[in-house]
Amino acid sequence: MTAAETLVFDSKQELVVTAAARFVDLVERAQAERGVASIVLTGGSNGIGILSALAADSGTIDWSKVDLYWGDDRFVPADDPERNSGQAREALLGKVPVDPSRVFPMAPSDGPFGDDIHAAAADYAAILAGRSSDGVAPQFDLHLLGMGGEGHINSLFPHTAATAETEKSVVAVEDSPKPPPRRITLTLPVVNRSRNVWFLVAGADKAEAVAAAHSGADPADWPCAGAHGTEGTIWFLDEDAAKNLDS
C-alpha cells in the first residue's frame, strides 16, 4: 500500500475535470499494458460528473476494451432514476461504444432474481469470481469512490456488518441508514484489491470524514479510512472538503 495523494481544487468543477483527464490517462496506460482496463464506477454528483466529462472527451480510450463494474447500487426496479447504473448509462455508456458483454450492472429488484437481494448479491460475487485469476475478484485498475458525510463509501456505513465483512466480496444491505434501505455493495477486501482507488469528495459536510481518514481512523467508525489502492490512492477534494486537513 502506497501513501495517499491529496489534491485540493478551488471548485467542484475543477475537481471533476481534472479527475476525468487523469481517468483517461490511467485507462489508456492500462490498455497499453494489459489490453483491457477494468473500472469500478460510483454514483453521486462527482462520480456521474466525471462520466459526463468523459462523454465530451475521452481521449483515445478504446471503450470496447473496458470492463465496467459498480461498487454498489440500489436494489430497486431497473428504471428507478436513483440506480447508479442507469445514471451511468445516461451520462456516458449510452454515448460511447462500450461492449455490452463487458458491462456488469448489479441486478435490480425486478431483475432475474426478483426481490431476492441475497441471490442478487451472490450472483454479482459469482460474476467477479468468474472474471478473476484467483476465483475472488479482478484486480481492478481503478475503483472510483464517492463519500458521505459520515464516511460511508459504496454502501458501507459505520458500525455495520457490511463494513466489517472480511470474507465475502459482495453483500446485501437491507437496512441502509441512507434511503433506499436495500442495496448491494462490494466490500472493503474487494475495494482494496484495486490497483488505484480514487475518492471524489466535495462539500464542507465531508470535511470531518476526510480528516478522519487522513489521520488513520478506524474503518469501523469511518469506512472511508479503510479503502486503499495497491498502487495508488488519490483524494480529489474541493477546498470545503479539505478544510480540516493540516496545511
Side-chain angles (χ1 to χ4, degrees):
M1 184 179 71
T2 58
E5 179 182 1
T6 302
L7 306 175
V8 181
F9 301 93
D10 293 336
S11 68
K12 180 175 175 176
Q13 180 61 24
E14 184 183 0
L15 181 162
V16 167
V17 169
T18 303
R22 293 188 67 157
F23 179 106
V24 170
D25 179 64
L26 184 150
V27 171
E28 290 175 343
R29 285 188 287 108
Q31 289 182 332
E33 293 171 11
R34 290 178 286 279
V36 176
S38 60
I39 309 297
V40 182
L41 301 178
T42 187
S45 60
N46 293 326
I48 300 303
I50 283 182
L51 302 188
S52 297
L54 291 169
D57 182 3
S58 59
T60 62
I61 289 176
D62 182 349
W63 286 105
S64 71
K65 295 181 179 178
V66 178
D67 290 340
L68 294 166
Y69 305 87
W70 275 264
D72 74 326
D73 215 336
R74 294 154 174 81
F75 194 63
V76 293
D79 62 357
D80 190 300
E82 293 300 306
R83 287 269 296 174
N84 290 337
S85 55
Q87 292 178 13
R89 185 168 53 251
E90 182 176 346
L92 174 66
L93 305 188
K95 302 175 181 178
V96 294
V98 293
D99 179 348
S101 70
R102 292 185 178 276
V103 179
F104 303 98
M106 294 173 169
S109 63
D110 58 353
F113 307 99
D115 199 43
D116 189 341
I117 189 172
H118 295 282
D123 175 71
Y124 209 71
I127 289 172
L128 297 185
R131 298 188 65 80
S132 71
S133 60
D134 62 0
V136 177
Q139 185 180 17
F140 306 113
D141 290 299
L142 174 61
H143 195 310
L144 296 172
L145 290 171
M147 190 190 75
E150 78 295 78
H152 89 264
I153 53 173
N154 290 341
S155 287
L156 303 173
F157 292 84
H159 308 296
T160 61
T163 300
E165 179 63 48
T166 60
E167 298 296 330
K168 293 180 180 179
S169 59
V170 184
V171 295
V173 174
E174 298 191 86
D175 55 355
S176 166
K178 180 180 179 181
R182 305 184 80 206
R183 297 153 174 255
I184 297 171
T185 183
L186 302 193
T187 60
L188 280 173
V190 172
V191 174
N192 292 340
R193 294 169 69 92
S194 308
R195 291 184 174 91
N196 297 278
V197 169
W198 291 2
F199 291 86
L200 313 168
V201 184
D205 60 318
K206 314 291 179 64
E208 184 180 5
V210 169
H214 278 69
S215 65
D218 186 339
D221 300 324
W222 301 94
C224 56
H228 311 278
T230 62
E231 297 179 5
T233 306
I234 304 179
W235 288 79
F236 293 84
L237 307 172
D238 72 352
E239 289 186 341
D240 287 338
K243 69 178 185 178
N244 289 359
L245 296 179
D246 295 332
S247 56

